[in-house]
Amino acid sequence: RRTVIPLTSLVATSPLQEQSPVQASARLRSVSPTSPSTTAAGGLAVAAQVHTPGAGRLEKPWVKTLIGGVVTIAFEMAGGHALEFLKIDKQVSNDSYMTIIRRMTANKGLAGCLDGFFPWGAMQATVKGGVFSWGQAASRRMLHGNAYLNDQATMVLSGGCGGFVQGVFMSP
């Protein structure tokens, strides 16, 4: 849906009338394409794309924890563990990548890429993904609706908080 809004209706006329990003966003959503304020003749007008999927809905931290844990373990099993294994082996030897891969798969084939994954690698992956997801969702709930950050900045900051919580939990 495309809505044209006069620029003057979005600009505050005094410091007492300043709008928070939440108020401005609500005002943008409340203007309909057929209202008189959207068809004002003369003056400047701005086109706004109103798109707010899932607006007002936040993830539950415990659900995000479960999803994060499951997704992280799936990623690690699909190749993340093998890449980590390859990286660590390359750091401690001067062998080529192909030599390291041949050594990983020599006895067990592709299953050799998962050596060391069960049980400790799986547990670490699950905890790492779950803790990050929980930290991100919990901090996003705390930051939601503040007057200083828009939704994108809140998402970025909550992601940083999730990474901080993961770092503290995984490497205290």
Side-chain angles (χ1 to χ4, degrees), residues 28-151:
L28 278 174
R29 277 189 233 107
S30 69
V31 176
S32 72
T34 58
S35 70
S37 63
T38 61
T39 57
L44 295 173
V46 62
Q49 186 76 25
V50 179
H51 179 68
T52 53
R57 291 181 37 191
L58 296 173
E59 301 98 355
K60 294 178 175 123
W62 68 270
V63 172
K64 193 115 183 210
T65 300
L66 293 175
I67 293 169
V70 169
V71 168
T72 306
I73 200 167
F75 167 78
E76 289 292 325
M77 286 185 69
H81 179 73
L83 291 174
E84 186 74 20
F85 192 131
L86 184 64
K87 177 194 78 152
I88 291 169
D89 213 2
K90 183 65 178 168
Q91 288 173 342
V92 298
S93 74
N94 288 330
D95 296 337
S96 70
Y97 286 108
M98 284 309 294
T99 303
I100 296 169
I101 292 170
R102 282 189 199 108
R103 191 174 28 211
M104 284 170 42
T105 58
N107 295 331
K108 298 181 184 176
L110 280 178
C113 294
L114 290 176
D115 272 354
F117 185 64
F118 294 106
W120 304 114
M123 186 174 71
Q124 182 181 10
T126 304
V127 170
K128 184 175 14 174
V131 167
F132 172 82
S133 297
W134 176 83
Q136 189 274 334
S139 61
R140 185 157 185 234
R141 274 189 175 265
M142 286 188 276
L143 294 169
H144 181 71
N146 68 67
Y148 302 105
L149 301 172
N150 63 21
D151 286 340

